[in-house]
Amino acid sequence: MEQHRTRPPQHGPRRGTPPAPLPPQARRRPTGERPPARRPVRPRPAQPPRLPGPRLTGLGGGLFSGTLMFLLGLIDQLLFGGSLTVYGVLFLPVCALTALWVRGGDLLTAPVLVPIAFAVGLLPLADDGGGVAGRLMGLVTALATQAGWLYGGTLIAGVTVIVRRIRLVKRRRRGSPAGPAPAGPTGQA
């Protein structure tokens, strides 16, 4: 029975073949010879500082938005006495940041993550009617009364994601990727 090769061919020079000649830049010069003069480097014009652009995975976006909303809920409870309007206003920029910072491959997770983060952040704000059932009832009531903020934030995340996705598709069609090349079917770039 014939045995097929299981190891992929190795790239590089084979044994017994002479090494390839070095390019002119890598060759050694005699000790008295000086390298050719280079052109002076022009200073670049000063650019304004850029905003941070972290790229979060789907899980990272969920942790970011959930943790931030929980902390904002605690701060709202301490400083404003649990004002749900303040909480809703603070929710909108978190939605925008989550949608902007999630990486291109996980874009569609942002509109799913932000409503979950909204509910997580309501935990410190929900009325405590005594016990688990009272806390759950307060959470459901807060979700029902603050649905406008929830829908608005989800809409912000959804529109941001759609715009980013359209720009990403157009950039790929033009053939000029802004970031690393997309991985092929074998996982190689």
PDB file of all heavy atoms in Angstrom, residues 92-105:
ATOM      1  N   LEU A  92     -26.446  55.971  27.126  1.00  0.00           N
ATOM      2  CA  LEU A  92     -26.281  56.277  25.699  1.00  0.00           C
ATOM      3  C   LEU A  92     -24.816  56.354  25.257  1.00  0.00           C
ATOM      4  O   LEU A  92     -24.451  55.749  24.244  1.00  0.00           O
ATOM      5  CB  LEU A  92     -27.043  57.561  25.348  1.00  0.00           C
ATOM      6  CG  LEU A  92     -28.553  57.519  25.612  1.00  0.00           C
ATOM      7  CD1 LEU A  92     -29.188  58.849  25.270  1.00  0.00           C
ATOM      8  CD2 LEU A  92     -29.207  56.381  24.867  1.00  0.00           C
ATOM      9  N   PRO A  93     -23.923  57.056  25.978  1.00  0.00           N
ATOM     10  CA  PRO A  93     -22.521  57.046  25.538  1.00  0.00           C
ATOM     11  C   PRO A  93     -21.856  55.677  25.673  1.00  0.00           C
ATOM     12  O   PRO A  93     -20.972  55.339  24.887  1.00  0.00           O
ATOM     13  CB  PRO A  93     -21.822  58.071  26.422  1.00  0.00           C
ATOM     14  CG  PRO A  93     -22.819  58.624  27.332  1.00  0.00           C
ATOM     15  CD  PRO A  93     -24.143  58.016  27.048  1.00  0.00           C
ATOM     16  N   VAL A  94     -22.291  54.888  26.643  1.00  0.00           N
ATOM     17  CA  VAL A  94     -21.736  53.538  26.771  1.00  0.00           C
ATOM     18  C   VAL A  94     -22.102  52.706  25.542  1.00  0.00           C
ATOM     19  O   VAL A  94     -21.281  51.943  25.020  1.00  0.00           O
ATOM     20  CB  VAL A  94     -22.222  52.861  28.076  1.00  0.00           C
ATOM     21  CG1 VAL A  94     -21.808  51.405  28.128  1.00  0.00           C
ATOM     22  CG2 VAL A  94     -21.688  53.603  29.279  1.00  0.00           C
ATOM     23  N   CYS A  95     -23.324  52.884  25.046  1.00  0.00           N
ATOM     24  CA  CYS A  95     -23.740  52.175  23.825  1.00  0.00           C
ATOM     25  C   CYS A  95     -22.884  52.585  22.637  1.00  0.00           C
ATOM     26  O   CYS A  95     -22.433  51.741  21.853  1.00  0.00           O
ATOM     27  CB  CYS A  95     -25.203  52.469  23.514  1.00  0.00           C
ATOM     28  SG  CYS A  95     -26.344  51.775  24.688  1.00  0.00           S
ATOM     29  N   ALA A  96     -22.657  53.891  22.501  1.00  0.00           N
ATOM     30  CA  ALA A  96     -21.852  54.379  21.377  1.00  0.00           C
ATOM     31  C   ALA A  96     -20.416  53.869  21.474  1.00  0.00           C
ATOM     32  O   ALA A  96     -19.839  53.420  20.476  1.00  0.00           O
ATOM     33  CB  ALA A  96     -21.881  55.904  21.341  1.00  0.00           C
ATOM     34  N   LEU A  97     -19.825  53.917  22.659  1.00  0.00           N
ATOM     35  CA  LEU A  97     -18.446  53.445  22.821  1.00  0.00           C
ATOM     36  C   LEU A  97     -18.332  51.949  22.570  1.00  0.00           C
ATOM     37  O   LEU A  97     -17.379  51.494  21.934  1.00  0.00           O
ATOM     38  CB  LEU A  97     -17.931  53.774  24.228  1.00  0.00           C
ATOM     39  CG  LEU A  97     -17.599  55.232  24.494  1.00  0.00           C
ATOM     40  CD1 LEU A  97     -17.184  55.416  25.936  1.00  0.00           C
ATOM     41  CD2 LEU A  97     -16.529  55.713  23.557  1.00  0.00           C
ATOM     42  N   THR A  98     -19.286  51.189  23.043  1.00  0.00           N
ATOM     43  CA  THR A  98     -19.242  49.742  22.809  1.00  0.00           C
ATOM     44  C   THR A  98     -19.326  49.449  21.319  1.00  0.00           C
ATOM     45  O   THR A  98     -18.571  48.630  20.797  1.00  0.00           O
ATOM     46  CB  THR A  98     -20.387  49.038  23.560  1.00  0.00           C
ATOM     47  OG1 THR A  98     -20.284  49.336  24.956  1.00  0.00           O
ATOM     48  CG2 THR A  98     -20.320  47.543  23.369  1.00  0.00           C
ATOM     49  N   ALA A  99     -20.211  50.134  20.609  1.00  0.00           N
ATOM     50  CA  ALA A  99     -20.354  49.897  19.170  1.00  0.00           C
ATOM     51  C   ALA A  99     -19.132  50.369  18.396  1.00  0.00           C
ATOM     52  O   ALA A  99     -18.783  49.791  17.366  1.00  0.00           O
ATOM     53  CB  ALA A  99     -21.598  50.602  18.649  1.00  0.00           C
ATOM     54  N   LEU A 100     -18.460  51.411  18.871  1.00  0.00           N
ATOM     55  CA  LEU A 100     -17.265  51.907  18.185  1.00  0.00           C
ATOM     56  C   LEU A 100     -16.032  51.054  18.471  1.00  0.00           C
ATOM     57  O   LEU A 100     -15.156  50.934  17.621  1.00  0.00           O
ATOM     58  CB  LEU A 100     -16.976  53.358  18.593  1.00  0.00           C
ATOM     59  CG  LEU A 100     -17.904  54.407  18.023  1.00  0.00           C
ATOM     60  CD1 LEU A 100     -17.614  55.762  18.656  1.00  0.00           C
ATOM     61  CD2 LEU A 100     -17.767  54.476  16.517  1.00  0.00           C
ATOM     62  N   TRP A 101     -15.950  50.505  19.662  1.00  0.00           N
ATOM     63  CA  TRP A 101     -14.728  49.810  20.061  1.00  0.00           C
ATOM     64  C   TRP A 101     -14.744  48.314  19.801  1.00  0.00           C
ATOM     65  O   TRP A 101     -13.712  47.662  19.952  1.00  0.00           O
ATOM     66  CB  TRP A 101     -14.439  50.070  21.530  1.00  0.00           C
ATOM     67  CG  TRP A 101     -13.917  51.453  21.780  1.00  0.00           C
ATOM     68  CD1 TRP A 101     -13.551  52.381  20.848  1.00  0.00           C
ATOM     69  CD2 TRP A 101     -13.715  52.064  23.049  1.00  0.00           C
ATOM     70  NE1 TRP A 101     -13.142  53.522  21.462  1.00  0.00           N
ATOM     71  CE2 TRP A 101     -13.226  53.363  22.812  1.00  0.00           C
ATOM     72  CE3 TRP A 101     -13.898  51.641  24.352  1.00  0.00           C
ATOM     73  CZ2 TRP A 101     -12.909  54.238  23.839  1.00  0.00           C
ATOM     74  CZ3 TRP A 101     -13.585  52.518  25.375  1.00  0.00           C
ATOM     75  CH2 TRP A 101     -13.093  53.799  25.118  1.00  0.00           C
ATOM     76  N   VAL A 102     -15.874  47.725  19.453  1.00  0.00           N
ATOM     77  CA  VAL A 102     -15.890  46.295  19.183  1.00  0.00           C
ATOM     78  C   VAL A 102     -15.205  46.067  17.831  1.00  0.00           C
ATOM     79  O   VAL A 102     -15.303  46.891  16.920  1.00  0.00           O
ATOM     80  CB  VAL A 102     -17.330  45.735  19.230  1.00  0.00           C
ATOM     81  CG1 VAL A 102     -18.109  46.103  17.997  1.00  0.00           C
ATOM     82  CG2 VAL A 102     -17.337  44.249  19.426  1.00  0.00           C
ATOM     83  N   ARG A 103     -14.445  44.995  17.717  1.00  0.00           N
ATOM     84  CA  ARG A 103     -13.674  44.778  16.481  1.00  0.00           C
ATOM     85  C   ARG A 103     -14.593  44.390  15.322  1.00  0.00           C
ATOM     86  O   ARG A 103     -15.749  44.016  15.524  1.00  0.00           O
ATOM     87  CB  ARG A 103     -12.587  43.730  16.711  1.00  0.00           C
ATOM     88  CG  ARG A 103     -13.103  42.359  16.973  1.00  0.00           C
ATOM     89  CD  ARG A 103     -11.976  41.409  17.246  1.00  0.00           C
ATOM     90  NE  ARG A 103     -12.537  40.070  17.412  1.00  0.00           N
ATOM     91  CZ  ARG A 103     -11.827  38.983  17.444  1.00  0.00           C
ATOM     92  NH1 ARG A 103     -10.528  39.040  17.327  1.00  0.00           N
ATOM     93  NH2 ARG A 103     -12.411  37.824  17.585  1.00  0.00           N
ATOM     94  N   GLY A 104     -14.046  44.478  14.110  1.00  0.00           N
ATOM     95  CA  GLY A 104     -14.841  44.277  12.905  1.00  0.00           C
ATOM     96  C   GLY A 104     -15.510  42.923  12.803  1.00  0.00           C
ATOM     97  O   GLY A 104     -16.621  42.809  12.311  1.00  0.00           O
ATOM     98  N   GLY A 105     -14.843  41.872  13.251  1.00  0.00           N
ATOM     99  CA  GLY A 105     -15.414  40.534  13.160  1.00  0.00           C
ATOM    100  C   GLY A 105     -16.563  40.298  14.122  1.00  0.00           C
ATOM    101  O   GLY A 105     -17.370  39.395  13.923  1.00  0.00           O
TER     102      GLY A 105
END
